[in-house]
Amino acid sequence: FNTAHQKIDDAIRRANDLESKLSEPRLQDLRQARNALNKQWAFLTSEDDIEEEVREAAEHLEDLLSRETFFRSFPEIDQAMRTIEDAYEERFEEAVESRAEAYSAALDRLHQADGWDDLSPDQKARVEEPIARYATTEADPTTSIKQLRTDTKALAPRLNRAFERLAQTANQTPHDK
């Protein structure tokens, strides 16, 4: 009886501890920490040049979240999560910049092509749209780094199609002579 009574007391104490520590903002912090592990860290593990500090932060975060007393470690959880998020964000920004630079250069090439100046503004917009949409550093934060890199690799065929569209459109445009 005493053992059962002690277990019930411990369970009540733990429930009160959890209730007092797990407010809605804290639950959101936990969701964010899980996201950092399950999505961002899952991606970062495939990268060749991940810093040891980030690996250690991921291992530490996983350990903290698996503990029965995780709710007592919010400052440590937050710190480890931020390390992972920062590493991911840095690579995300690099991928966005790389894509924007490549597509901006391609857009410049398209604008220099023969026949470009003969097009109307509407025709120019239609021809350049598949390139122009990626020539920006504005990116949806939910876009994956993998997708950003795939977009960058897809530049050559997209640019070739834009040149084909330019040639077709320029040939259909009556020229004043």
Side-chain angles (χ1 to χ4, degrees):
F1 177 75
N2 286 340
T3 305
H5 181 34
Q6 182 61 42
K7 284 183 180 180
I8 291 172
D9 277 351
D10 289 346
I12 291 171
R13 226 182 339 270
R14 179 167 163 70
N16 288 335
D17 221 6
L18 281 170
E19 187 177 4
S20 71
K21 300 254 182 0
L22 292 181
S23 61
E24 185 53 41
R26 286 301 189 193
L27 291 172
Q28 180 59 34
D29 291 345
L30 288 172
R31 284 190 286 274
Q32 190 176 352
R34 284 270 171 225
N35 182 59
L37 272 179
N38 297 334
K39 293 185 180 169
Q40 295 170 335
W41 175 243
F43 169 79
L44 291 171
T45 59
S46 67
E47 296 287 283
D48 293 333
D49 59 343
I50 287 298
E51 299 82 11
E52 191 59 32
E53 171 192 7
V54 179
R55 286 187 196 287
E56 290 171 1
E59 289 171 8
H60 189 54
L61 181 57
E62 196 163 18
D63 176 55
L64 291 168
L65 292 175
S66 68
R67 292 180 187 172
E68 194 172 308
T69 58
F70 68 91
F71 56 91
R72 295 184 184 140
S73 303
F74 279 111
E76 287 179 87
I77 289 171
D78 187 58
Q79 184 178 11
M81 176 188 66
R82 297 276 178 231
T83 300
I84 295 167
E85 288 177 336
D86 290 348
Y88 185 88
E89 184 65 28
E90 182 179 324
R91 287 169 192 271
F92 181 86
E93 292 300 324
E94 287 172 4
V96 169
E97 279 292 323
S98 179
R99 184 182 75 172
E101 287 173 12
Y103 277 84
S104 291
L107 207 51
D108 289 343
R109 284 184 50 208
L110 185 62
H111 293 169
Q112 300 299 317
D114 289 340
W116 180 259
D117 292 333
D118 298 333
L119 301 182
S120 72
D122 285 347
Q123 291 171 321
K124 288 178 180 179
R126 280 193 300 276
V127 169
E128 75 177 4
E129 193 278 329
I131 305 299
R133 80 168 77 153
Y134 299 108
T136 177
T137 56
E138 298 294 318
D140 182 342
T142 62
T143 305
S144 71
I145 294 172
K146 193 178 281 191
Q147 181 61 52
L148 293 168
R149 291 175 178 169
T150 298
D151 289 341
T152 304
K153 289 177 185 174
L155 171 59
R158 287 178 178 156
L159 182 58
N160 288 338
R161 282 195 301 276
F163 279 129
E164 290 169 5
R165 211 172 290 120
L166 169 61
Q168 290 169 349
T169 305
N171 287 336
Q172 294 170 357
T173 302
H175 298 283
D176 294 334
K177 299 205 175 190

